[in-house]
Amino acid sequence: MARVALVTGGTRGIGAAISVALQQAGRVVIASFAGNTVAAEAFSKETGIETMQFDACDFDACATATSAIAAKHGKIEILVNNAGITRDAVITKMTRDMWDAVLDTNLGSCFNLCKLSFDGMKANKFGRIVNIGSINGQAGQYGQVNYAGAKSGIHGFTKALSLEGARYGITVNAIAPGYVDTEMVRAVPPEVLEKIIAKIPRGRLGTAEDIARGVLFLTSDDADFVTGSTLSINGGQHMY
Ligand code: CAA
């Protein structure tokens, strides 16, 4: 039986590349999205991947979605917590709403979906969880106390949960992407982005596929002994 994989934020950017890579590896993929129906429909039409709309910040919505997936396809065995947003501003200009939105979407969603899929993975004695962190959670970034706090939280969350999953064959790992050519990074002011790219030893932005290949490895059956780790994919920009 093909393993069932849920990718949050799986219809655009890094998430879309992850969904496609998992599909090509023979997984049954469900790509979730929060609001952009036009992009989700186009993605589904192009790839044939099933999409599902729910708010990953909302615990009850996640519970309904995971139950629906289990009823249709079976228990989730591969979970990629990729949903993420930025609301950049220096702390004096950052509102409480900007803080909450980023913490809820990036970190709260990991809690919701890991909690809701963990019992099923335990029962199956198999699970692969990959949480998408960030170089900015490792190194910090000016104007991102919310995002860096959330992503750094993901790295701690990953290590703690890996200890809970190990005895059941559930691995929990993080990937820390560097600057990847997506809409999120293209929203950085050009003069700021130019300086950032100049500091990437590999001399280019990452591609979504660079990150997807890491997810493919960490979610493979063969990666059974890799847990609690953070894989940095950043072109040498930060070594942690
Ligand atoms: N270090 C030190 N000082 C800095 C700085 C930095 N990195 N960036 C800006 N400053 C200084 C400026 O020089 C300026 O100083 P003066 O007032 O003395 O001239 C001051 O801070 C204010 O700068 P801005 O005018 O840029 O302030 P702003 O409020 O308009 O914007 C900002 C601030 C929103 C943080 C903007 O600089 C910005 O968008 N920066 C990019 C942040 C970034 O890299 N985000 C990553 C998004 S992609 C992502 O997060 C994906 C991932 O995982 C990698």
Side-chain angles (χ1 to χ4, degrees), residues 14 85-90 93 133-137 141-144 147 151 177-180 182 184-189 191-193 195-196 199 237:
I14 291 174
I85 59 166
T86 52
R87 295 286 181 272
D88 295 353
V90 292
K93 293 184 192 165
S134 169
I135 187 174
N136 293 349
Q141 174 58 264
Y142 189 95
Q144 282 200 314
Y147 187 83
K151 292 299 195 180
Y179 280 73
V180 176
T182 59
M184 184 186 276
V185 165
R186 273 178 245 126
V188 173
E191 65 286 1
V192 178
L193 190 56
K195 286 187 198 147
I196 290 170
K199 287 190 192 139
Q237 189 183 348

Side-chain angles (χ1 to χ4, degrees), residues 85-86 88 99 102-103 106-107 131-159 174-179 184 230-234 237-240:
I85 59 166
T86 52
D88 295 353
W99 170 266
V102 169
L103 267 289
N106 293 279
L107 185 56
N131 300 317
I132 305 298
S134 169
I135 187 174
N136 293 349
Q138 298 170 313
Q141 174 58 264
Y142 189 95
Q144 282 200 314
V145 293
N146 50 4
Y147 187 83
K151 292 299 195 180
S152 164
I154 284 178
H155 296 144
F157 175 101
T158 298
K159 291 175 198 174
I175 289 184
Y179 280 73
M184 184 186 276
T230 298
L231 176 59
S232 295
I233 306 181
N234 62 29
Q237 189 183 348
H238 180 70
M239 301 180 194
Y240 190 65

Side-chain angles (χ1 to χ4, degrees), residues 94-217:
M94 187 178 289
T95 62
R96 179 69 206 207
D97 282 351
M98 291 162 86
W99 170 266
D100 287 340
V102 169
L103 267 289
D104 281 354
T105 304
N106 293 279
L107 185 56
S109 61
C110 287
F111 172 80
N112 292 344
L113 289 158
C114 287
K115 179 175 170 65
L116 288 162
S117 48
F118 217 69
D119 275 338
M121 291 179 181
K122 272 166 82 172
N124 278 5
K125 294 251 179 295
F126 178 89
R128 295 282 180 269
I129 297 175
V130 178
N131 300 317
I132 305 298
S134 169
I135 187 174
N136 293 349
Q138 298 170 313
Q141 174 58 264
Y142 189 95
Q144 282 200 314
V145 293
N146 50 4
Y147 187 83
K151 292 299 195 180
S152 164
I154 284 178
H155 296 144
F157 175 101
T158 298
K159 291 175 198 174
L161 191 61
S162 73
L163 298 174
E164 296 186 25
R167 81 184 71 164
Y168 304 107
I170 304 169
T171 67
V172 188
N173 293 286
I175 289 184
Y179 280 73
V180 176
D181 190 6
T182 59
E183 272 175 47
M184 184 186 276
V185 165
R186 273 178 245 126
V188 173
E191 65 286 1
V192 178
L193 190 56
E194 212 173 283
K195 286 187 198 147
I196 290 170
I197 296 174
K199 287 190 192 139
I200 304 174
R202 188 67 189 86
R204 64 169 175 88
L205 291 173
T207 65
E209 289 71 24
D210 286 329
I211 310 305
R213 282 188 280 274
V215 174
L216 212 50
F217 166 64

